Amino acid sequence: MPRTAANAQGVELAYDSFGSPGDPLLLLVMGLGAQMTAWPEKLCETIAARGFRVVRFDNRDAGLSTFMDAGPQPDLGAILHGDPSSAPYLLADMALDAVSLLDALGVDRAHVVGASMGGMIVQQLAVDHPERLLSLCSIMSLPGDRVSGKSTPEAGAVLMRARPENREEAIAVGVAASQVIGSPGYPEDPEELRERVAAALERQSRGDGFGRQFAAIVASPDRTPGLRELDLPTLVIHGADDPLVDRSGGEATAKAVPGAELLVIPGMGHNLPEPLWPEIADAIAANARRAQAPA
């Protein structure tokens, strides 16, 4: 699997791609603690078939990219109580990772799509580096206003679970978490879910990056003021039944960005159910065409 050279912060990113190299680049950014494989290959191919070179990558502290374990570690208690000073990095730094990947690929501007924390990253990318974006799509995310997108108690507990002590416990915890936050309208086969969780652990079993990524989310400022300044084709997709990030998170994001389109999908929770892939891919492609249309 290809990796970028280390960027200014010493981060190397693992990535892969789908579709024709000659098509416009569409960058997929995944969420908290998740590897790029949480963008399933068939979903990537479905999007690529709409006329894009699709690139997915592992964020720092996930998958096969650089883990930031060498320096001081976050004091999550202090961060949650309003002192962000111990956060090793912010979402703005993760957005810079995406910029360094575009640089490595020789791409000036790209369509960007982010899910959950990935949605936060691409929002920050649009605020900080709008000249690098053609279009923006934020999925099951929120603008960081500390008001919208609240979790249910059960879903919130998923984020605070203790680190599993062995592989079997890790698989069980992963399956249970996915069942709590998943889509009630599109329940997953338990055995297929178990196989997917096991495959992710086989690829990378480290869990220490989760806390650092979580610290980046909590320590980063509200993106709403910056989002209000965007002039960029923007699509916000959210599940009507998302228990981890309530639909108000997507509504607040869409409200903040001038001209943004909001797609709320009934029965969808905090995942990307296979039956919805054609609808999601079509919506992403339609938003990208807004950028490509003549002025």
Side-chain angles (χ1 to χ4, degrees):
M1 178 167 292
R3 289 170 64 92
T4 64
N7 63 20
Q9 296 189 17
V11 176
E12 298 179 6
L13 300 173
Y15 68 94
D16 62 7
S17 62
F18 304 82
S20 171
D23 285 337
L25 192 136
L26 188 146
L27 188 65
L28 298 176
V29 189
M30 193 26 78
L32 176 61
Q35 303 182 52
M36 68 179 183
T37 49
W39 296 106
E41 287 190 12
K42 289 184 179 179
L43 172 57
C44 296
E45 292 167 353
T46 299
I47 298 172
R50 270 70 175 170
F52 302 98
R53 178 191 179 192
V54 174
V55 173
R56 60 180 184 173
F57 70 100
D58 287 321
N59 286 309
R60 62 168 72 189
D61 271 330
L64 305 181
S65 291
T66 300
F67 275 70
M68 312 297 286
D69 55 353
Q73 298 303 297
D75 182 340
L76 290 178
I79 293 171
L80 288 168
H81 285 88
D83 178 7
S85 60
S86 67
Y89 53 84
L90 299 176
L91 293 174
D93 298 299
M94 303 183 81
L96 277 172
D97 291 343
V99 170
S100 72
L101 176 55
L102 295 181
D103 289 343
L105 295 171
V107 174
D108 290 331
R109 303 180 71 193
H111 304 283
V112 296
V113 180
S116 196
M117 180 188 72
M120 304 175 203
I121 294 170
V122 298
Q123 291 171 30
Q124 193 67 56
L125 178 60
V127 170
D128 293 346
H129 310 280
E131 73 284 356
R132 303 303 299 267
L133 272 60
L134 292 168
S135 70
L136 170 67
C137 177
S138 177
I139 304 175
M140 55 191 177
S141 194
L142 47 81
D145 56 9
R146 308 295 190 263
V147 177
S148 66
K150 298 294 186 181
S151 303
T152 65
E154 296 79 9
V158 168
L159 296 181
M160 301 301 173
R161 65 190 185 275
R163 187 180 299 178
E165 296 183 359
N166 55 59
R167 181 177 182 275
E168 281 306 310
E169 183 180 343
I171 292 174
V173 167
V175 169
S178 295
Q179 290 173 329
V180 169
I181 68 175
S183 298
Y186 303 90
E188 297 187 78
D189 178 85
E191 188 55 38
E192 292 180 2
L193 178 56
R194 178 183 170 82
E195 290 176 0
R196 190 168 70 249
V197 171
L201 287 169
E202 183 68 23
R203 184 173 184 264
Q204 177 56 270
S205 61
R206 290 183 64 169
D208 57 299
F210 183 94
R212 293 186 289 271
Q213 290 186 349
F214 184 70
I217 292 173
V218 179
S220 292
D222 183 4
R223 293 171 295 284
T224 304
L227 293 174
R228 290 184 179 134
E229 301 300 317
L230 295 184
D231 181 15
L232 188 70
T234 299
L235 169 67
V236 178
I237 300 176
H238 215 97
D241 301 292
D242 189 332
L244 188 63
V245 179
D246 180 81
R247 64 182 287 175
S248 63
E251 291 167 349
T253 304
K255 183 179 179 180
V257 181
E261 296 185 356
L262 174 64
L263 173 61
V264 177
I265 303 180
M268 178 178 166
H270 202 78
N271 66 344
L272 299 165
E274 186 171 357
L276 296 177
W277 292 353
E279 180 179 1
I280 290 171
D282 285 343
I284 290 171
N287 184 59
R289 284 195 293 271
R290 293 169 60 197
Q292 297 166 352

